[in-house]
């Protein structure tokens, strides 16, 4: 079973809290191009010839035969494998709320900037927001892997940007609402099928491009923090601990 989303969204709409058209409508589709803004554009013809990073237990962010990405470079403090402590953030705009959770995802970066995000061990992120006087609560988690490449300055803080294509083709999302009704919105649904009305109906809690996008980074010691860039949409901040 992949989704009961249409039934779920219909249930939300009947309760008068449908949010279609209010969220992020970018739709990753396979290997996508990541521009300066970090938003994805359709990239079915984008080259995916560069190798991504693997998490095969080796240290130093060794690379393997994954797709997506391009030539980049990463600050030395970013190189290695990082395990997510979680995501925290606030929802604003058409709704007001918060989200937190999501520990367990693995981020691997090598010195050439080749990057992989493995969501196989990710824990759920819980979210809550209020719209039209109604409480909406639920949780989501991603599955699969995202591959690409990044470029950063050599400093321990700065701006991280994807370079070349970012392959979101294997990324899935599972979303469960607990209020105003207990219902499964998506069950391991490809992210390209969920974005648009799906992200809108979660108040923007589900990011169509998690982690591997333009971000502010701070890799101080054994901790890495990725935050939305100044002036960009607030999709929450990820905190990681060095794994290898």
């Amino acid at each position: 079973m992949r989704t009961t989303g249409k039934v779920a969204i219909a249930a939300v709409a009947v309760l008068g809290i449908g949010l279609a058209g209010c969220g992020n409508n970018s739709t990753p589709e396979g290997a996508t191009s990541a521009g300066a803004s970090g938003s994805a554009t359709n990239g079915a013809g984008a080259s995916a010839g560069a190798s991504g990073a693997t998490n095969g237990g080796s240290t130093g962010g060794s690379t393997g035969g994954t797709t997506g990405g391009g030539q980049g470079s990463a600050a030395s403090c970013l190189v290695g494998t990082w395990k997510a402590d979680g995501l925290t953030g606030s929802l604003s705009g058409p709704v007001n709320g918060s989200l937190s959770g999501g520990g367990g995802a693995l981020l691997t970066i090598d010195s050439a900037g080749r990057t992989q995000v493995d969501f196989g061990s990710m824990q759920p992120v819980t979210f809550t927001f209020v719209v039209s006087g109604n409480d909406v609560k639920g949780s989501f988690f991603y599955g699969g892997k995202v591959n690409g490449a990044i470029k950063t300055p050599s400093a321990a803080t700065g701006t991280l940007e994807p370079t070349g294509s970012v392959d979101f083709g294997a990324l899935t999302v599972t979303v469960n609402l607990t209020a105003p009704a207990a219902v499964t919105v998506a069950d391991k649904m490809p992210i390209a099928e969920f974005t648009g009305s799906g992200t809108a109906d979660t108040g923007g809690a589900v990011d169509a491009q998690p982690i591997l996008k333009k971000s502010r980074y701070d890799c101080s010691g054994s901790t890495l923090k990725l935050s939305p860039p100044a002036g960009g949409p607030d999709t929450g901040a990820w905190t990681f601990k060095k794994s290898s």
Side-chain angles (χ1 to χ4, degrees):
M1 175 180 178
R2 286 170 56 185
T3 179
T4 56
K6 292 183 179 179
V7 174
I9 298 303
V12 173
V14 165
L15 290 169
I17 59 171
L19 294 170
C22 297
N24 179 1
N25 291 320
S26 61
T27 305
E29 185 173 335
T32 60
S33 173
S37 67
S39 61
T41 58
N42 291 344
S47 171
S51 295
T54 61
N55 294 321
S58 59
T59 60
S62 61
T63 59
T66 54
T67 61
Q71 289 299 312
S73 60
S76 59
C77 66
L78 287 169
V79 175
T81 297
W82 303 83
K83 185 174 183 179
D85 271 356
L87 168 70
T88 58
S90 299
L91 303 175
S92 60
V95 301
N96 292 305
S98 62
L99 68 162
S100 64
L106 295 176
L107 169 65
T108 302
I109 304 172
D110 75 5
S111 60
R114 289 171 293 194
T115 302
Q116 182 180 87
V117 187
D118 185 347
F119 290 103
S121 300
M122 180 181 175
Q123 300 299 307
V125 174
T126 59
F127 61 87
T128 180
F129 62 88
V130 178
V131 60
S132 300
N134 295 283
D135 290 330
V136 181
K137 299 180 181 180
S139 65
F140 72 89
F141 61 89
Y142 300 108
K145 298 177 181 179
V146 174
N147 293 287
I150 61 168
K151 59 180 180 180
T152 74
S154 59
T157 60
T159 299
L160 174 155
E161 294 187 74
T163 178
S165 62
V166 178
D167 187 0
F168 290 96
L171 182 65
T172 66
V173 65
T174 297
V175 183
N176 294 293
L177 291 183
T178 56
V183 65
T184 298
V185 175
D187 184 6
K188 298 181 180 178
M189 180 187 285
I191 195 67
E193 296 181 20
F194 184 78
T195 53
S197 62
T199 47
D201 282 300
T202 60
V206 176
D207 186 358
Q209 297 170 267
I211 300 178
L212 191 42
K213 62 180 182 180
K214 184 176 181 181
S215 305
R216 291 177 294 160
Y217 74 90
D218 185 339
C219 47
S220 302
S222 61
T223 301
L224 168 63
K225 186 174 183 179
L226 297 178
S227 307
D234 186 359
T235 52
W238 287 89
T239 302
F240 298 83
K241 295 295 186 182
K242 196 70 172 284
S243 177
S244 63

